[in-house]
């Protein structure tokens, strides 16, 4: 059975790169009816954030990336890691390192200043058992380092990047157990992957260069070697890793289904030219052999396209259930009944890219005053024809006694006839005069929902 895991450190925001890794790991497992596990890598308690861990569970649930069994919590498994370190020490795969942390930090800084790559030189490798025992008896602080093989090469096959070989002399003796006896990621991730019987190790390609050291640990522990898959990173417009928060995107009103659909196609190509996929369809079609090597640009405009399409596809009832809470949280609802708010929301359904864009657009219905941008002010003042249209519109609005779509339609026809201008050409001056913007949904519905009193106040 195929088994994958989503391993994440709860120390900060849950980013789109995190979601990308979680999704691909989920799809690899579920495409073949396998198991998808969640692992919380929280052994570094200095960086632990309770809210970050809570968001991990929340986000996976929102996106229906349901994991199998209970999450593996690494902070609850410290003794397991210590036992494995003991095994490494007893079999000469690891050693005690008593080097002063400040001195190593100084050496690292000096190397950096010379534009050199720092690598610990393994000076504690040669300590005898007697020397080690004496230092421990004296209370000297120590860490446990992996005794990496420095001879020859380490080769492995990555399912995306192909056959890769590293020269072992460039591999550093990484720390496995810190001075406070807590394990590092370098140790715990290998131990857990082995004990959890993970068959496909999935992670971002930034960890590619660390893989040889992990492979040596697999060999040391006699673990079955899993298949290795490194995913391309999502980057921003300047080719830096994109750390956009998933929660922020959800709060802006991007639908989980749209976001998931979009990032599924970043770094993976389906066999068909189809662009819209449900999660179930992704599970059916996903093939990790079609994952690309190159980093992918996370394009917010493309996400907008997906989200707009998903919003348009929603049935009205579903759309309103999703969108109304955004309006309630961000608009002045005093005196507004639900039916009125529903009509406004539906008026913009075909036009918006996300929920918060809607909130910005519908302020014209909820606020008494509106802000006219300078270009709109100039438009209204610089033409006698425009002034005539607006004044005529005001006079015709005053005459309306029964406020409805029919009377408003007649009002606009009257303005067109009085000004001797086509009905189409009076829309822009009227729209700008009552909304302060140049574009929007149907002008008649807009006038109706703004209301006679507000319109007259805005026309002065």
């Amino acid at each position: 059975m195929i088994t994958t895991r989503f391993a994440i450190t709860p120390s900060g925001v849950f980013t789109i790169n995190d979601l990308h890794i979680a999704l691909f790991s989920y799809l690899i497992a579920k495409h073949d009816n396998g198991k998808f596990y969640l692992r919380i890598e929280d052994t570094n308690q200095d960086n632990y954030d309770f809210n970050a861990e809570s968001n991990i569970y929340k986000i996976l649930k929102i996106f229906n990336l349901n994991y199998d069994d209970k999450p593996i919590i690494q902070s609850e498994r410290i003794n397991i890691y210590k036992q494995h370190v003991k095994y490494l020490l007893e079999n000469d795969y690891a050693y005690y390192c008593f080097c002063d942390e400040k001195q190593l930090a100084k050496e690292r800084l000096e190397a950096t200043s010379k534009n050199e790559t720092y690598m610990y030189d393994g000076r504690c490798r040669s300590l005898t058992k007697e020397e080690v025992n004496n230092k421990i008896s004296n209370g000297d602080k120590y860490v446990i380092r992996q005794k990496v093989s420095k001879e020859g090469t380490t080769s492995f096959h990555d399912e995306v990047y192909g056959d890769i070989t590293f020269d072992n002399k460039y591999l550093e003796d990484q720390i496995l157990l810190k001075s406070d006896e807590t394990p590092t990621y370098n140790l715990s991730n290998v131990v857990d992957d082995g004990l959890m019987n993970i068959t496909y190790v999935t992670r971002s390609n930034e960890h590619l260069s660390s893989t040889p050291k992990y492979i040596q640990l697999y060999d040391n522990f006699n673990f079955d070697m899993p298949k290795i898959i490194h995913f391309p990173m999502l980057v921003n417009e300047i080719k830096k890793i994109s750390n956009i928060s998933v929660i922020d995107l959800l709060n802006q009103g991007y639908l989980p289904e749209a976001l998931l659909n979009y990032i599924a196609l970043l770094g993976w190509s389906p066999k068909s030219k189809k662009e819209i996929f449900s999660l179930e369809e992704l599970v059916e079609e996903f093939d990790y052999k079609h994952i690309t090597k190159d980093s992918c640009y996370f394009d917010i405009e493309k996400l907008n396209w997906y989200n707009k399409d998903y919003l348009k596809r929603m049935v009205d009832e579903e759309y309103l259930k999703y969108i109304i809470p955004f309006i309630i949280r961000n608009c002045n609802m005093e005196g507004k009944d639900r039916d009125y708010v529903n009509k406004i929301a539906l008026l913009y359904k075909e036009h918006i890219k996300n929920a918060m864009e809607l909130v910005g657009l519908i302020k014209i219905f909820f606020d008494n005053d509106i802000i006219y941008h300078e270009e709109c002010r100039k438009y209204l003042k610089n033409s006698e024809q425009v002034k005539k249209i607006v004044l005529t519109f005001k006079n015709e609005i005053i005459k309306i006694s029964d406020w409805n779509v029919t009377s408003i339609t007649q009002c606009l026809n009257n303005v067109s006839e009085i000004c001797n201008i086509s009905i189409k050409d009076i829309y822009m001056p009227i729209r700008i005069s009552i909304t302060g913007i140049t574009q929007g949904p149907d002008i008649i519905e807009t006038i109706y929902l703004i209301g006679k009193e507000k319109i007259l106040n805005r026309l002065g």
Side-chain angles (χ1 to χ4, degrees):
M1 177 183 290
I2 288 179
T3 55
T4 65
R5 84 291 189 268
F6 174 51
I8 182 169
T9 301
S11 60
V13 298
F14 193 111
T15 70
I16 54 167
N17 265 299
D18 295 325
L19 184 61
H20 192 240
I21 294 168
L23 173 61
F24 277 23
S25 301
Y26 175 89
L27 294 176
I28 289 170
K30 296 306 175 181
H31 178 73
D32 286 298
N33 297 313
K35 296 284 189 178
F36 170 67
Y37 298 113
L38 172 63
R39 191 165 74 217
I40 304 297
E41 299 185 329
D42 62 343
T43 56
N44 186 349
Q45 289 293 299
D46 290 339
N47 293 332
Y48 174 77
D49 185 324
F50 174 79
N51 291 327
E53 182 175 350
S54 298
N55 279 336
I56 292 168
Y57 303 125
K58 176 182 177 182
I59 291 169
L60 292 179
K61 183 176 181 180
I62 288 173
F63 287 90
N64 290 319
L65 300 180
N66 301 315
Y67 46 87
D68 294 287
D69 301 337
K70 293 181 179 180
I72 296 294
I73 311 296
Q74 287 192 334
S75 60
E76 298 174 356
R77 298 163 60 81
I78 300 299
N79 286 334
I80 293 175
Y81 308 128
K82 286 183 179 179
Q83 290 169 10
H84 281 76
V85 168
K86 182 181 178 182
Y87 169 84
L88 293 175
L89 288 168
E90 291 174 346
N91 288 275
D92 200 29
Y93 296 134
Y95 61 94
Y96 291 88
C97 175
F98 298 91
C99 292
D100 181 69
E101 292 180 11
K102 292 183 179 179
Q103 176 60 33
L104 294 181
K106 181 181 178 182
E107 293 174 8
R108 187 175 292 106
L109 190 61
E110 289 175 353
T112 302
S113 67
K114 297 176 183 178
N115 202 29
E116 297 175 351
T117 300
Y118 176 79
M119 186 169 70
Y120 176 66
D121 58 13
R123 69 197 71 163
C124 287
R125 269 186 176 226
S126 59
L127 292 176
T128 64
K129 287 186 178 180
E130 183 179 3
E131 288 173 320
V132 168
N133 291 335
N134 287 338
K135 286 179 177 293
I136 293 175
S137 298
N138 290 336
D140 291 1
K141 289 180 63 176
Y142 62 84
V143 298
I144 306 298
R145 289 184 182 271
Q146 178 183 0
K147 186 176 284 189
V148 176
S149 172
K150 298 290 186 176
E151 302 297 323
T153 60
T154 297
S155 299
F156 65 95
H157 178 78
D158 184 277
E159 297 298 316
V160 172
Y161 293 89
D163 294 327
I164 299 174
T165 298
F166 281 84
D167 193 328
N168 289 343
K169 68 181 180 181
Y170 297 116
L171 301 181
E172 185 179 32
D173 288 350
Q174 62 188 353
I175 296 175
L176 303 177
L177 202 68
K178 293 182 285 188
S179 57
D180 62 359
E181 295 193 315
T182 58
T184 63
Y185 167 83
N186 303 315
L187 172 73
S188 57
N189 90 90
V190 172
V191 171
D192 282 338
D193 284 343
L195 297 182
M196 293 168 67
N197 296 314
I198 299 301
T199 61
Y200 284 76
V201 167
T202 56
R203 51 179 169 248
S204 66
N205 60 14
E206 63 180 332
H207 296 291
L208 196 59
S209 62
S210 299
T211 303
K213 291 181 284 190
Y214 303 149
I215 288 175
Q216 289 195 25
L217 280 177
Y218 270 96
D219 290 340
N220 297 159
F221 291 129
N222 294 313
F223 287 149
D224 290 335
M225 192 64 204
K227 290 190 176 182
I228 299 171
I229 303 181
H230 285 89
F231 303 138
M233 295 292 291
L234 306 187
V235 299
N236 58 24
E237 63 277 3
I238 56 175
K239 305 302 180 183
K240 298 291 185 180
I241 294 175
S242 186
N243 290 319
I244 297 174
S245 163
V246 172
I247 291 292
D248 285 350
L249 290 173
L250 294 175
N251 288 340
Q252 289 174 44
Y254 288 99
L255 289 159
E257 299 86 350
L259 181 54
L260 208 65
N261 190 157
Y262 173 51
I263 67 169
L265 298 174
L266 293 178
W268 171 73
S269 301
K271 294 178 182 178
S272 65
K273 293 183 179 180
K274 183 178 177 180
E275 288 192 285
I276 303 300
F277 288 89
S278 66
L279 180 57
E280 292 74 20
E281 290 170 331
L282 286 171
V283 168
E284 180 69 25
E285 185 155 345
F286 192 83
D287 183 349
Y288 69 80
K289 293 179 182 178
H290 292 166
I291 295 175
T292 60
K293 297 178 181 180
D294 297 331
S295 296
C296 306
Y297 172 47
F298 182 81
D299 185 356
I300 196 69
E301 290 306 316
K302 187 64 176 179
L303 174 59
N304 285 336
W305 180 87
Y306 271 99
N307 207 62
K308 185 175 184 177
D309 187 77
Y310 269 79
L311 287 169
K312 288 166 65 174
R313 290 168 182 262
M314 297 172 86
V315 298
D316 287 353
E317 183 180 356
E318 181 186 11
Y319 166 79
L320 291 172
K321 183 179 179 181
Y322 170 73
I323 215 80
I324 293 300
F326 286 90
I327 299 176
I328 293 174
R329 288 196 299 268
N330 294 281
C331 295
N332 179 9
M333 301 296 293
E334 184 177 355
K336 305 294 190 298
D337 61 34
R338 185 61 177 267
D339 183 59
Y340 176 78
V341 177
N342 286 351
K343 288 179 180 177
I344 292 174
L346 290 170
L347 187 62
Y348 284 85
K349 183 184 176 188
E350 301 286 321
H351 303 273
I352 58 170
K353 298 186 288 288
N354 59 63
M356 288 308 293
E357 181 188 33
L358 172 67
V359 168
L361 292 171
I362 65 175
K363 294 287 187 180
I364 59 174
F365 300 98
F366 294 87
D367 296 345
N368 290 324
D369 300 319
I370 57 174
I371 298 175
Y372 294 87
H373 295 295
E374 186 61 28
E375 61 179 27
C376 291
R377 289 181 181 277
K378 289 181 180 179
Y379 177 87
L380 293 174
K381 292 180 179 180
N382 289 349
S383 166
E384 291 303 318
Q385 186 181 66
V386 168
K387 291 179 182 178
K388 181 179 179 181
I389 291 171
V390 174
L391 179 60
T392 305
F393 174 65
K394 175 183 177 181
N395 293 335
E396 292 300 310
I397 286 289
I398 292 173
K399 297 176 185 178
I400 297 178
S401 57
D402 188 8
W403 190 255
N404 55 51
V405 169
T406 301
S407 61
I408 292 169
T409 302
Q410 184 59 52
C411 165
L412 294 178
N413 288 332
N414 293 344
V415 173
S416 173
E417 185 176 340
I418 293 169
C419 295
N420 194 28
I421 298 173
S422 70
I423 191 76
K424 177 183 177 182
D425 290 334
I426 69 171
Y427 285 169
M428 180 67 80
I430 291 173
R431 185 183 297 280
I432 292 177
S433 67
I434 65 174
T435 68
I437 54 179
T438 59
Q439 295 181 327
D442 180 77
I443 187 65
I444 295 174
E445 285 291 333
T446 299
I447 293 170
Y448 172 70
L449 290 170
I450 290 176
K452 181 176 180 179
E453 183 180 350
K454 270 194 176 73
I455 286 176
L456 291 175
N457 285 337
R458 292 173 185 177
L459 294 175

